[in-house]
Amino acid sequence: MNSELKKDLEAWGGSLGGALLTILLPAVVYYLLASAYFFDFRVFDREMLNPTRWPEIARFFAPTWRAVTIYSVWFGFQALLSLILPGKKFTARPGPSGVALSYNLNGLCAFLVTGVAYYLACFQFKIFSPTIAADNLPALITVVQLFSFGLSVYLWVRGRLVKNNPNYSGQFFADFWAGLELNPRSFMNTFDWKYFCAGRPGLNGWVMLNIQITLAYLRDHPGQGLPVPLLLCTGLQLWYIVDCWLFEAALTNILDITFDRFGFMLVFGDLAWVPFTYTLACLKLAHCSTGLPAMSPLRVCLVAALHLCGYTLFRGFNWQKHLYKTSPEKYPSWKTMKTEKGRLLIGGFFGYARHLNYTGDLLMALSWGLCTGFDRILGYFYFIYFAALLIHRQYRDEIRCGAKYGADWVRYCKIVPYRMLPGLF
């Protein structure tokens, strides 16, 4: 096992950490949604300890053939769009394997086609209810989790069939969790499993569930109109996803795509964690018994301003990184530091902190939580979880950069001493 692979696996706690996370994360999804549906979005309730309630909760999340059909159609439709729709051909920079992969950037086109297909199927031809996924959400959770396990097993078997696989550590749970292949592809190398799952079923599913939760609220509260907090939360998260597809080329430079292997960690995160936990803010606004928080025009403006500030940091940093990594010769005036492995940016957004994009991401996450008020912490779950995730991610990235650049990285950190919060951290 090479030293870089060893350090990466150790960052997740090795085989024990992989085993615990593989068991714990699906349980957390059930816990969060049970808290939402059974305990009025309270993180802890004494009734949770009452074993007589557990069979009722288990039956609530039982899979159904209807849910299987819904997810099969959804996943298959997104996969089909990724394969057949036109898009800009983009060749990413070489990854750790030294291979420069090509991508068909049709994410925005697929997103728009999905929206049109949904409108036609629900409102024009009335093939299915516009709230079909929201109405079957508990069963869908179980179906998607089972599918995530199945796909992860398939990927592990694929990886084991690769001769002399350098990513194989011999620690089953560590390998199952982290993955054995960096960019597994099928259909004559045209379908990238990791790149597809990172965006299409999960991110688009997140938006689709938000929209359906909002429509279900309007259906269940006739004549009340669309509440400002729910509209704002749904709108800001929609903005986030549309921006992702507008700048799709930048996705090829994120840590998940360039360095992380494709195992249960990313499979489960993309397919189950994203759509079913990131929608908790909208779900809280639509279903919590405490009602909707009052949002004055001033508060709406402040929340929107916080989101805009976070977006500026997030998109500005990521786009500057993407432009420089793909075409450094076009930006000779940008301030850089020379190293034995190339040049590192120390100007623009990179002059303030090494991971300022994470800070922007967290500010946007906080703005979504603020839409839900202050009566339930579950409305801030995404922000709290994401803070922990990004702090750990920057830790992993620092280890990787330290191994790559050596003494130059130490020198770089002295020039740009802060990680996420200029002047503090």
Side-chain angles (χ1 to χ4, degrees):
M1 188 194 316
N2 62 60
S3 60
E4 185 175 341
L5 175 63
K6 183 178 180 180
K7 287 181 179 179
D8 190 51
L9 295 179
E10 287 176 349
W12 291 107
S15 194
L16 178 60
L20 290 176
L21 288 167
T22 300
I23 296 169
L24 180 63
L25 290 186
V28 169
V29 173
Y30 282 125
Y31 177 83
L32 292 170
L33 272 297
S35 298
Y37 281 105
F38 287 89
F39 305 105
D40 200 26
F41 293 85
R42 287 184 289 270
V43 175
F44 177 75
D45 188 292
R46 287 183 179 275
E47 275 295 295
M48 292 179 178
L49 303 177
N50 182 357
T52 61
R53 299 292 305 276
W54 299 347
E56 175 192 4
I57 295 172
R59 286 193 298 271
F60 184 72
F61 289 105
T64 64
W65 285 113
R66 186 177 182 83
V68 170
T69 302
I70 292 170
Y71 195 69
S72 298
V73 171
W74 171 253
F75 192 92
F77 182 61
Q78 292 301 306
L80 180 65
L81 293 182
S82 75
L83 288 168
I84 67 172
L85 288 179
K88 178 183 177 181
K89 303 301 179 183
F90 178 79
T91 301
R93 65 190 179 98
S97 64
V99 178
L101 295 173
S102 295
Y103 296 92
N104 181 29
L105 303 185
N106 60 8
L108 181 61
C109 184
F111 181 81
L112 295 174
V113 170
T114 298
V116 171
Y118 171 71
Y119 173 78
L120 292 175
C122 296
F123 298 100
Q124 291 295 112
F125 302 110
K126 302 186 185 305
I127 298 173
F128 51 81
S129 164
T131 59
I132 186 171
D135 295 339
N136 290 272
L137 189 60
L140 272 173
I141 291 169
T142 300
V143 168
V144 176
Q145 297 213 60
L146 290 173
F147 181 82
S148 298
F149 273 103
L151 179 55
S152 299
V153 170
Y154 162 73
L155 292 167
W156 183 86
V157 172
R158 269 186 57 130
R160 287 294 289 117
L161 294 176
V162 175
K163 293 183 178 180
N164 302 317
N165 190 333
N167 298 318
Y168 177 61
S169 72
Q171 304 175 56
F172 172 75
F173 283 108
D175 291 335
F176 184 77
W177 167 259
L180 291 174
E181 291 185 273
L182 184 62
N183 299 100
R185 292 191 165 196
S186 298
F187 303 112
M188 295 182 292
N189 211 39
T190 60
F191 185 80
D192 189 306
W193 282 98
K194 181 169 67 169
Y195 190 74
F196 168 75
C197 290
R200 309 305 175 85
L203 293 182
N204 291 349
W206 172 13
V207 170
M208 189 58 65
L209 278 177
N210 273 350
I211 291 171
Q212 294 198 25
I213 288 167
T214 302
L215 292 175
Y217 179 90
L218 291 174
R219 179 197 63 198
D220 298 337
H221 300 81
Q224 293 189 15
L226 192 59
V228 171
L230 187 54
L231 175 63
L232 183 61
C233 188
T234 301
L236 292 179
Q237 292 186 357
L238 176 61
W239 172 357
Y240 185 80
I241 302 305
V242 171
D243 170 79
C244 168
W245 297 128
L246 286 172
F247 295 92
E248 186 179 0
L251 282 177
T252 64
N253 277 319
I254 65 173
L255 182 66
D256 292 1
I257 300 300
T258 54
F259 289 105
D260 285 338
R261 298 174 301 284
F262 196 46
F264 183 78
M265 174 183 71
L266 290 182
V267 172
F268 180 83
D270 294 337
L271 302 184
W273 188 268
V274 169
F276 297 118
T277 67
Y278 289 12
T279 50
L280 279 171
C282 285
L283 199 65
K284 187 267 180 186
L285 287 167
H287 292 290
C288 189
S289 68
T290 57
L292 294 155
M295 292 195 74
S296 66
L298 176 60
R299 182 175 169 185
V300 170
C301 290
L302 290 175
V303 170
L306 180 65
H307 187 275
L308 181 60
C309 178
Y311 172 76
T312 301
L313 295 177
F314 168 79
R315 177 49 60 209
F317 186 101
N318 280 337
W319 195 240
Q320 182 185 4
K321 178 176 71 172
H322 170 72
L323 292 176
Y324 191 75
K325 285 185 178 295
T326 52
S327 305
E329 70 282 354
K330 294 182 180 180
Y331 309 96
S333 63
W334 285 2
K335 193 176 181 180
T336 61
M337 187 193 93
K338 186 177 180 180
T339 75
E340 293 183 0
K341 298 292 181 68
R343 290 186 172 273
L344 293 172
L345 280 167
I346 56 174
F349 288 96
F350 284 79
Y352 295 98
R354 305 195 292 271
H355 302 281
L356 206 57
N357 54 330
Y358 294 172
T359 307
D361 229 342
L362 288 177
L363 291 178
M364 288 189 286
L366 179 59
S367 73
W368 307 338
L370 290 171
C371 293
T372 70
F374 302 99
D375 56 311
R376 294 287 192 274
I377 197 171
L378 204 57
Y380 292 83
F381 171 78
Y382 177 81
F383 171 73
I384 296 169
Y385 144 75
F386 216 46
L389 174 75
L390 292 181
I391 290 172
H392 184 262
R393 180 173 291 184
Q394 64 82 27
Y395 163 71
R396 291 168 55 220
D397 196 35
E398 298 274 322
I399 291 176
R400 185 176 286 113
C401 289
K404 178 179 179 180
Y405 293 102
D408 286 328
W409 183 251
V410 176
R411 185 162 58 94
Y412 175 76
C413 291
K414 290 180 180 178
I415 298 173
V416 186
Y418 302 109
R419 300 181 181 185
M420 294 172 63
L421 293 174
L424 293 175
F425 173 68

